[in-house]
Amino acid sequence: MAEEDKNTQEQEEGGKKKKKSKLFIIIILVVVLLAGGGAAYFFLVKGKADKNGGDKTKEKKQSKVDSGIGPLYSLDTFIVNLADPGGTRYLKVTMQLELDSEKLQEEMDKRKPQIRDVILTVLSSKTYAEVSTAQGKLALKQELIRRINLILTTGAIRNIYFTEFVAQ
């Protein structure tokens, strides 16, 4: 009888373990389903709301960008030899400078020879490899902005827009 009691106890303990493991699995499944439902709700319902709100934000940003462009100052076309060995390559650039204020326009007119000199010096110091990539053009813009702003006193150049850029 002692052996039957042991077998019965072992079966009861095994049954309790099975019940606990089944309960544990059920709890895990419920948590996973709730998390999945929450994620689905977030991406489907909230995602659409964010997209609609995002469109309004994009429109606001675009209107700020459109209205945020400062006065533009046009420069004549520059044609320079690049600093490549042999001097067989040249660069043809037309650009417009974005000014931070209308007041700067007068100073730009007065300092036009200095500004052209700075631009010619910077452009002719570049090699074809430096100006032929998009990153090179961005670096060129930044250098030109920095160098021109050094000689200006009543304002600053915000940006440079290349309207023509030919490197051969």
Side-chain angles (χ1 to χ4, degrees):
M1 254 212 210
E3 289 181 313
E4 287 180 22
D5 287 339
K6 283 185 184 179
N7 288 338
T8 307
Q9 285 178 349
E10 288 175 7
Q11 287 176 354
E12 288 177 2
E13 289 175 7
K16 287 181 183 178
K17 287 181 182 178
K18 285 182 183 179
K19 286 182 183 178
K20 285 183 181 180
S21 65
K22 284 182 183 179
L23 181 62
F24 184 71
I25 290 173
I26 290 172
I27 291 173
I28 288 176
L29 286 174
V30 169
V31 169
V32 169
L33 287 174
L34 287 175
Y41 171 78
F42 178 78
F43 287 115
L44 296 176
V45 176
K46 291 287 189 178
K48 288 181 183 178
D50 289 345
K51 285 181 183 176
N52 293 338
D55 291 343
K56 291 178 185 175
T57 305
K58 285 181 184 177
E59 290 173 8
K60 288 180 185 177
K61 285 182 182 178
Q62 286 177 348
S63 66
K64 285 181 183 178
V65 169
D66 292 343
S67 64
I69 294 178
L72 295 175
Y73 189 83
S74 296
L75 292 171
D76 295 332
T77 300
F78 294 88
I79 300 174
V80 298
N81 288 330
L82 292 171
D84 287 315
T88 58
R89 295 190 179 267
Y90 73 92
L91 177 64
K92 180 179 178 183
V93 178
T94 306
M95 63 183 89
Q96 292 195 358
L97 309 177
E98 181 183 352
L99 312 178
D100 66 350
S101 68
E102 295 281 340
K103 296 176 192 174
L104 185 57
Q105 204 117 26
E106 291 177 33
E107 184 181 3
M108 295 291 290
D109 289 335
K110 290 178 184 174
R111 295 186 181 266
K112 194 169 189 173
Q114 288 177 305
I115 293 167
R116 286 190 58 84
D117 180 63
V118 166
I119 293 171
L120 285 169
T121 303
V122 171
L123 293 177
S124 62
S125 71
K126 301 298 177 187
T127 64
Y128 179 78
E130 290 174 320
V131 298
S132 63
T133 65
Q135 293 151 340
K137 289 177 182 76
L138 289 174
L140 178 61
K141 282 183 181 185
Q142 293 306 313
E143 183 177 355
L144 287 170
I145 291 170
R146 185 180 55 77
R147 296 277 303 271
I148 293 170
N149 283 338
L150 288 174
I151 61 172
L152 298 175
T153 58
T154 61
I157 303 298
R158 271 201 234 166
N159 202 352
I160 293 178
Y161 302 103
F162 292 129
T163 56
E164 182 179 22
F165 197 96
V166 179
Q168 282 187 323

